[in-house]
Amino acid sequence: MIEIEPEKYWFELNTILVYLSQGSNLYPDISREKVQVLQWMFFEQYSHEPYIATPRYWISILGKEQESQEAIAQKCQGGYAVLEGMENHLRVNDFFVEDRYSVADIALSIHPYSL
């Protein structure tokens, strides 16, 4: 969560990352690259987060690994597919967008459940 004005907050990680990275080297000025950054950030929200961050939350934060074993096993199947897609991209690219570190790399490497 970030307070952007008195009593006004943003809660969503990717919104915060884009807000904080605008005007820096982490968020490109070129429209094509901006769209690529957003594509990977959407991927993080709809692929990475439900399959990887959710089980990590159940295990690390809630401490309910035993009670959640079946759900964790189901999520792991999707998680391995997500990681394979990311690894395939990074086999031929140093970063997720173009040839530089960006907010997309940050979004895919951290998650609030891990903080």
Side-chain angles (χ1 to χ4, degrees), residues 78-98:
Y80 289 128
V82 167
L83 291 173
E84 183 179 0
M86 292 168 61
E87 287 177 5
N88 286 340
H89 179 81
L90 292 174
R91 276 190 188 100
V92 295
N93 300 280
D94 290 330
F95 303 100
F96 284 103
V97 177
E98 299 300 322

Side-chain angles (χ1 to χ4, degrees), residues 11 29 33 39 42 44-45 47-48 73-74 78 85 90 109 111:
F11 300 92
D29 290 330
E33 290 178 14
Q39 175 181 316
F42 294 146
E44 183 274 330
Q45 283 293 292
S47 297
H48 184 276
Q74 291 173 349
L90 292 174
S109 66
H111 196 278

Side-chain angles (χ1 to χ4, degrees), residues 15-27:
T15 301
I16 294 167
L17 288 173
V18 168
Y19 174 74
L20 293 176
S21 66
Q22 288 186 46
S24 76
N25 289 336
L26 297 173
Y27 195 68

Side-chain angles (χ1 to χ4, degrees), residues 49-66:
E49 192 264 327
Y51 294 111
I52 296 171
T54 300
R56 182 172 36 189
Y57 175 74
W58 294 336
I59 295 166
S60 301
I61 305 298
L62 297 180
K64 298 194 177 227
E65 182 173 4
Q66 295 302 316

Side-chain angles (χ1 to χ4, degrees), residues 13 65 76-77 86 113:
L13 175 64
E65 182 173 4
C76 282
Q77 291 174 357
M86 292 168 61
Y113 296 153

Side-chain angles (χ1 to χ4, degrees), residues 25-43 86 89-90 92-108:
N25 289 336
L26 297 173
Y27 195 68
D29 290 330
I30 301 167
S31 294
R32 178 180 50 78
E33 290 178 14
K34 279 185 183 179
V35 171
Q36 288 176 320
V37 164
L38 292 173
Q39 175 181 316
W40 281 108
M41 292 176 86
F42 294 146
F43 172 83
M86 292 168 61
H89 179 81
L90 292 174
V92 295
N93 300 280
D94 290 330
F95 303 100
F96 284 103
V97 177
E98 299 300 322
D99 293 324
R100 63 183 176 153
Y101 188 70
S102 74
V103 71
D105 298 279
I106 296 170
L108 287 161

